[in-house]
């Protein structure tokens, strides 16, 4: 029986029916499934400003397929706009707000299914977290990627603007060039164009079967994206009739498939955090060590920004995520028996996809000719991160460095030092008290990492933090250091000048002092007062768990 039956049938439900009539229900509609459309439309960010069109196409398609759509809004925070400010502390928090909002609306109104539409980074994991919590039939519609900006024949992304700041301060470009990059980097609607976090998570969701094949790489402004929204609505209605639910699809093998694809496309470090969170909510035994296990087997076969040459629309033209998945399947690196929202196995979905990528392009390579022999997201452990940390090593010739620590208590302090040309080759930058609790909110560090790259230091210095990195970050960077400084992690005990080793070959992140000295420092450490005690940041800091388990907020502490 449909969940909505209780509010649409029976004499005792007349008041409920009266209110539903006011929003458009007629006599024959009370026996139809009620389907929520969680619409992330917003003019806050180009990522979400095209979503209203998709919502209304979905609404029309649900009606045509025999359902009753109920449209409601969800929020977003623009990571790119809030980057480098206090506002970025709300970014990861917004993942939880989105999940809570969708769960509240759908369960509060006893909806029979949900179609979630999102664009910016936290929209995707927020929506999937809610689906895993509710376990009603659901599908995700990605708003689509932005087209690349153009300047002097070169593709630009929002990261180009961040890197240009570093180029300016190091004298590589002048202010006129910086302004030209800024004016041309983001030409219209859609999420950031490289294989950054939004496109990484959309690819993961497609791989796990909660969105349709090819949908994760479509351009926001192309007509096929609106058609995809309508098709997704039709597929969801069939899933409701067949009772295909998210937890039927979110299996351990499905998560392993998503990790394999993320490694193959060179995806964002944030995928580690989000997949761990979704798995915990879904009751799937996924750990941070699974990422390293899969990384050892799966090469990077896509040449995509931020460290590569192409953007996501180029990947779409070359065959999209289905082409990548077919290559992995043939190499024995994908579980072909996993199903999608249509009830099809990956064997069936990929059956007619060519075994080799198209000729005349070099966006997607073969398994035998990868960009990197192993995946680019390495899980490092050691006395600086006993629970683990995530290193993104794409674009780094030799991901090994031992150097003196330069310690910063916030992102702002670190960025000021970089822009003042105080960072030298061989330095290890330590940015702490930016974790889930300490920030709070685990800010991304795109501004400092881009400035480092812009100054030509991308493979000459390391940056480690208990915060996060943007999907646009690359270089010798290590984030998600856990335990974080604010809960007594070793990163909070580092002093300026201490030697630190970052060694991705040996999966090591180490503070090179003896154990006696380390314990002496630990005995003197004083827990700092929280930066926020009220409002959503105060509440988040009290509830959030460790980054090594996804930084979730709905578990008992």
């Amino acid at each position: 029986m449909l969940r909505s039956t209780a509010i649409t049938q029976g004499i005792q439900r007349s008041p409920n029916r009266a209110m539903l009539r006011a929003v458009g229900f007629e006599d024959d509609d009370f026996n139809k499934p009620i389907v929520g459309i969680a619409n992330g439309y917003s003019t806050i960010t180009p990522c979400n400003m095209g979503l209203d069109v998709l919502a209304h196409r979905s609404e029309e398609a649900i009606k045509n397929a025999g359902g009753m759509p109920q449209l409601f809004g969800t929020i977003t925070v623009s990571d790119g706009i809030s980057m480098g400010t206090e506002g970025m502390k709300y970014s990861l928090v917004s993942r939880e707000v989105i999940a809570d909002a969708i769960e509240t609306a759908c369960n509060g109104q006893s909806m029979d299914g949900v179609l979630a539409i999102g664009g910016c980074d936290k929209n995707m994991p927020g929506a999937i977290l809610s689906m895993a919590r509710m376990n009603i039939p659901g599908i995700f519609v990605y708003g689509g990627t932005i087209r690349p900006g153009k300047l002097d024949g070169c593709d630009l992304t929002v990261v180009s603007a961040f890197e240009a700041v570093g180029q300016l301060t190091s004298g590589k470009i002048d202010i006129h060039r910086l302004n030209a990059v800024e004016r041309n980097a983001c030409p219209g609607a859609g999420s950031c164009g490289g294989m950054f976090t939004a496109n990484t998570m959309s690819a993961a969701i497609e791989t796990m079967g909660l969105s349709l094949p090819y949908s994760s790489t479509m351009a926001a402004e192309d007509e096929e994206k609106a058609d995809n929204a309508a098709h997704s609505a039709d597929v969801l209605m069939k899933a409701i009739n067949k009772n295909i639910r998210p937890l039927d699809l979110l299996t351990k093998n499905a998560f392993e498939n998503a990790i394999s694809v993320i490694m193959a496309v060179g995806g964002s470090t944030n995928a580690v955090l989000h997949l761990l969170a979704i798995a915990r909510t879904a009751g799937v035994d996924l750990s941070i060590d699974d990422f390293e296990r899969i990384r050892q087997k799966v090469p990077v076969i896509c040449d995509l920004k931020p460290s590569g040459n192409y953007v996501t629309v180029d990947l779409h033209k070359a065959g999209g995520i289905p082409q990548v998945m077919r290559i992995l399947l043939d190499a024995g690196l994908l579980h072909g028996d996993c199903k999608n929202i249509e009830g099809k196995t990956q064997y069936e979905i990929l059956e007619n996809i060519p075994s080799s990528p198209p000729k005349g392009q070099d966006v997607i390579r073969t398994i035998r000719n990868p960009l990197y022999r192993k995946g680019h997201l390495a899980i490092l452990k050691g006395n600086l991160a006993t629970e683990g940390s995530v290193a993104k090593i794409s674009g780094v010739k030799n991901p090994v460095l031992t150097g003196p620590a330069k310690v910063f208590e916030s992102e702002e302090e670190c960025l000021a030092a970089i822009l003042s040309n105080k960072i030298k080759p061989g330095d290890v930058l330590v940015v702490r008290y930016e974790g889930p609790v300490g920030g709070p909110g685990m800010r991304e560090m795109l501004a400092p990492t881009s400035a480092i790259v812009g100054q030509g230091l991308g493979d000459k210095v390391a940056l480690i933090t208990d915060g996060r990195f943007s999907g646009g970050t690359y270089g010798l960077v290590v984030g998600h250091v856990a335990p974080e400084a604010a809960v007594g992690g070793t990163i909070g005990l580092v002093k300026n000048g201490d030697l630190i080793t970052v060694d991705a070959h040996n999966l090591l992140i180490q503070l090179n002092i003896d154990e006696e000295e380390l314990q002496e420092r630990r005995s003197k450490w004083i827990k700092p007062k929280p930066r926020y005690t009220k409002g959503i940041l105060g509440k988040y800091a009290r509830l959030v768990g460790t980054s090594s388990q996804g930084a979730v907020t709905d578990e008992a502490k």
Side-chain angles (χ1 to χ4, degrees):
M1 181 179 291
L2 297 174
R3 293 206 316 167
S4 60
T5 300
I7 62 169
T8 59
Q9 293 185 354
I11 295 174
Q12 72 275 24
R13 299 299 180 184
S14 293
N16 311 63
R17 291 160 62 101
M19 294 189 74
L20 288 170
R21 289 185 188 280
V23 297
F25 277 63
E26 298 180 356
D27 288 348
D28 292 341
D29 296 330
F30 290 105
N31 292 319
K32 297 176 181 178
I34 294 179
V35 183
I37 300 176
N39 181 12
Y41 167 72
S42 170
T43 57
I44 286 174
T45 172
C47 310
N48 290 49
M49 69 183 192
L51 301 190
D52 225 22
V53 173
L54 307 185
H56 291 299
R57 282 292 300 273
S58 302
E59 184 179 33
E60 179 184 15
I62 288 170
K63 287 181 179 177
N64 291 339
M68 286 304 292
Q70 300 285 275
L71 190 66
F72 62 92
T74 65
I75 63 110
T76 195
V77 169
S78 174
D79 288 12
I81 296 172
S82 65
M83 196 73 68
T85 73
E86 282 285 289
M88 172 48 74
K89 292 182 177 181
Y90 290 84
S91 167
L92 187 57
V93 176
S94 75
R95 183 188 76 178
E96 309 304 300
V97 175
I98 292 165
D100 292 349
I102 295 174
E103 178 190 1
T104 300
C106 290
N107 281 348
Q109 301 306 123
S110 301
M111 294 178 185
D112 299 300
V114 61
L115 183 148
I117 307 174
C120 200
D121 295 4
K122 306 312 173 294
N123 295 186
M124 279 73 74
I128 304 305
L129 280 170
S130 72
M131 292 181 193
R133 292 177 188 175
M134 299 182 296
N135 200 32
I136 60 174
I139 195 166
F140 183 77
V141 175
Y142 181 42
T145 185
I146 196 172
R147 293 191 172 280
K150 296 286 186 180
L151 184 62
D152 298 334
C154 296
D155 285 347
L156 299 178
T157 68
V158 67
V159 175
S160 306
F162 282 94
E163 291 179 359
V165 174
Q167 292 166 348
L168 177 70
T169 59
S170 60
K172 294 184 177 181
I173 63 173
D174 60 20
I175 189 65
H176 301 292
R177 179 71 181 185
L178 174 65
N179 289 337
V181 171
E182 177 211 308
R183 292 189 179 101
N184 290 279
C186 299
S191 299
C192 298
M195 191 47 67
F196 310 152
T197 301
N199 288 321
T200 298
M201 289 310 300
S202 68
I205 293 167
E206 178 182 326
T207 302
M208 292 192 293
L210 282 167
S211 61
L212 297 182
Y214 297 104
S215 64
S216 67
T217 53
M218 293 175 178
E221 296 180 322
D222 283 358
E223 184 61 31
E224 68 174 345
K225 176 43 68 178
D227 292 340
N228 168 254
H231 185 201
S232 297
D234 186 61
V235 168
L236 176 60
M237 287 299 300
K238 293 175 181 176
I240 292 171
N241 292 330
K242 295 177 182 178
N243 198 29
I244 298 174
R245 297 170 179 259
L247 296 188
D248 299 331
L249 310 178
L250 294 174
T251 64
K252 178 67 177 285
N253 284 350
F255 280 97
E256 291 189 349
N257 283 352
I259 296 170
S260 293
V261 168
I262 288 163
M263 295 296 178
V265 300
S268 166
T269 54
N270 284 305
V272 178
L273 192 76
H274 298 322
L275 289 181
L276 287 171
I278 295 166
R280 288 186 73 79
T281 299
V284 172
D285 183 19
L286 187 75
S287 78
I288 197 169
D289 296 324
D290 288 315
F291 288 82
E292 182 58 38
R293 173 175 57 83
I294 294 170
R295 182 185 84 88
Q296 293 291 335
K297 299 185 295 183
V298 179
V300 180
I301 60 172
C302 295
D303 186 10
L304 296 168
K305 292 180 182 295
S307 61
N309 292 304
Y310 297 100
V311 292
T312 306
V313 291
D314 299 318
L315 174 61
H316 190 64
K317 293 174 185 175
I321 297 303
Q323 180 65 78
V324 175
M325 292 178 69
R326 178 58 193 263
I327 293 169
L328 295 177
L329 181 68
D330 289 349
L333 299 172
L334 206 72
H335 302 289
D337 56 349
C338 293
K339 292 184 177 182
N340 81 338
I341 186 67
E342 299 171 285
K344 297 178 180 179
T345 66
Q346 295 299 341
Y347 288 124
E348 294 172 308
I349 294 168
L350 303 174
E351 182 179 8
N352 296 319
I353 305 297
S355 295
S356 299
K359 294 181 179 179
Q361 60 81 40
D362 55 0
V363 183
I364 306 174
R365 298 191 181 189
T366 65
I367 287 286
R368 296 179 299 277
N369 181 36
L371 271 80
Y372 305 101
R373 187 173 58 84
K374 295 180 180 180
H376 63 301
L377 300 180
I379 305 303
L380 308 189
K381 291 186 177 181
N383 68 359
L384 258 174
T386 55
E387 293 179 14
S389 60
V390 184
K392 188 175 187 180
I393 57 176
S394 49
V396 180
K397 295 177 182 177
N398 184 28
V400 178
L401 190 151
T402 295
K406 288 195 173 179
V407 181
F408 305 96
E409 308 299 336
S410 70
E411 177 185 358
E412 287 87 352
E413 284 187 16
C414 180
L415 181 60
I418 296 167
L419 297 181
S420 299
N421 297 309
K422 294 179 180 178
I423 306 305
K424 307 301 179 187
D427 287 342
V428 178
L429 284 62
V430 179
V431 187
R432 63 192 182 192
Y433 294 103
E434 289 286 7
V437 175
M442 208 178 178
R443 283 194 290 183
E444 294 180 349
M445 305 286 163
L446 181 59
T449 58
S450 296
I452 288 169
V453 171
Q455 291 187 352
L457 296 172
D459 58 356
K460 297 180 178 68
V461 303
L463 189 152
I464 69 173
T465 180
D466 50 10
R468 297 183 295 131
F469 294 116
S470 163
T473 291
Y474 64 101
L476 187 52
V477 295
V478 186
H480 309 196
V481 169
E484 62 173 291
V487 299
T490 304
I491 190 172
L493 308 179
V494 179
K495 294 182 178 180
N496 281 310
D498 286 345
L499 288 181
I500 291 177
T501 295
V502 177
D503 184 347
H505 292 318
N506 292 301
L507 307 178
L508 180 67
I509 179 168
Q510 186 81 14
L511 175 61
N512 297 316
I513 62 174
D514 61 48
E515 185 63 23
E516 184 177 346
E517 170 66 15
L518 184 59
Q519 292 308 317
E520 174 72 14
R521 294 185 190 182
R522 195 178 304 280
S523 69
K524 295 179 179 178
W525 179 78
I526 299 174
K527 184 178 179 66
K529 293 181 179 179
R531 288 170 168 163
Y532 294 82
T533 57
K534 296 182 179 180
I536 194 167
L537 291 182
K539 179 166 59 176
Y540 182 85
R542 291 190 295 272
L543 294 174
V544 70
T546 179
S547 61
S548 65
Q549 296 181 3
V552 296
T553 60
D554 60 344
E555 292 185 341
K557 294 187 72 173

